[in-house]
Amino acid sequence: MAADQIVLAAIAGAHGIRGEVRLKLFTDDAQSLARHARFDAGGRVLVLAAIRGDKPGTAIARFEGVTDRNVAEAMRGLTLAVPRTALPALDDGEYYVADYLGRTVVDETGELVGTVKSIDNFGASDIIDIALAKGGTVMVPFVPDVVREEAERLIVDRAWLA
């Protein structure tokens, strides 16, 4: 995927028998996707025909030309991306997860800790999942008291790495 593309959702599987799909959202809600008519799905263009919210973090969508469960199920795992230029400007404190994935993480002394594997939110705050350079992973809160941003790397309070 091109660096100027931002993934907004992933197809989790088929929903029903008429070609609808379940989406895992990487946005606030289904309406964030509804603003876009076309998505890059791994080199394939998908045109959104309808979308509705489902459970938190999920939605149900229908794409033009997808009319049965078999075709919808074959789309499982595709990600839906749009050009960065199609997204609204960010407010203070907001960020695109894609801008942090793979970023180097160090401690206060500059020692390499690892790289950002993912960022999730389980309710209280965003959590950074770090793939440790020595193997394994660790999750830390993505809050100013724990993580600072400097140029192209993140600095994590060593106390959270024990």
Side-chain angles (χ1 to χ4, degrees):
M1 176 170 310
D4 66 338
Q5 297 281 308
I6 300 292
V7 175
L8 300 181
I11 298 176
H15 177 80
I17 61 172
R18 293 192 172 95
E20 290 183 316
V21 295
R22 286 178 289 113
L23 300 177
K24 178 180 180 186
L25 301 177
F26 305 133
T27 63
D28 291 335
D29 56 36
Q31 292 309 308
S32 297
L33 264 70
R35 287 191 277 260
H36 306 282
R38 303 166 65 85
F39 297 92
D40 179 340
R44 175 181 176 185
V45 175
L46 293 177
V47 178
L48 189 64
I51 190 166
R52 65 183 185 277
D54 194 33
K55 299 173 190 161
T58 67
I60 306 298
R62 188 170 41 80
F63 294 99
E64 289 182 6
V66 180
T67 59
D68 69 61
R69 183 177 182 84
N70 293 333
V71 174
E73 190 59 39
M75 295 167 55
R76 179 190 299 262
L78 291 178
T79 56
L80 306 178
V82 298
R84 179 182 292 272
T85 57
L87 298 174
L90 294 172
D91 289 330
D92 287 340
E94 293 182 328
Y95 62 90
Y96 293 121
V97 170
D99 293 338
Y100 288 92
L101 298 179
R103 190 173 284 191
T104 298
V105 179
V106 299
D107 67 13
E108 305 95 326
T109 68
E111 182 180 339
L112 178 66
V113 172
T115 58
V116 176
K117 179 179 168 188
S118 66
I119 300 177
D120 295 294
N121 188 307
F122 301 106
S125 70
D126 289 346
I127 304 290
I128 297 178
D129 189 2
I130 302 168
L132 299 172
K134 64 183 179 192
T137 63
V138 65
M139 293 180 143
V140 299
F142 195 9
V143 296
D145 291 345
V146 179
V147 180
R148 288 190 342 261
E149 187 171 358
E150 177 184 276
E152 293 299 314
R153 66 185 191 170
L154 299 178
I155 302 169
V156 175
D157 181 338
R158 190 96 180 124
W160 285 86
L161 302 174

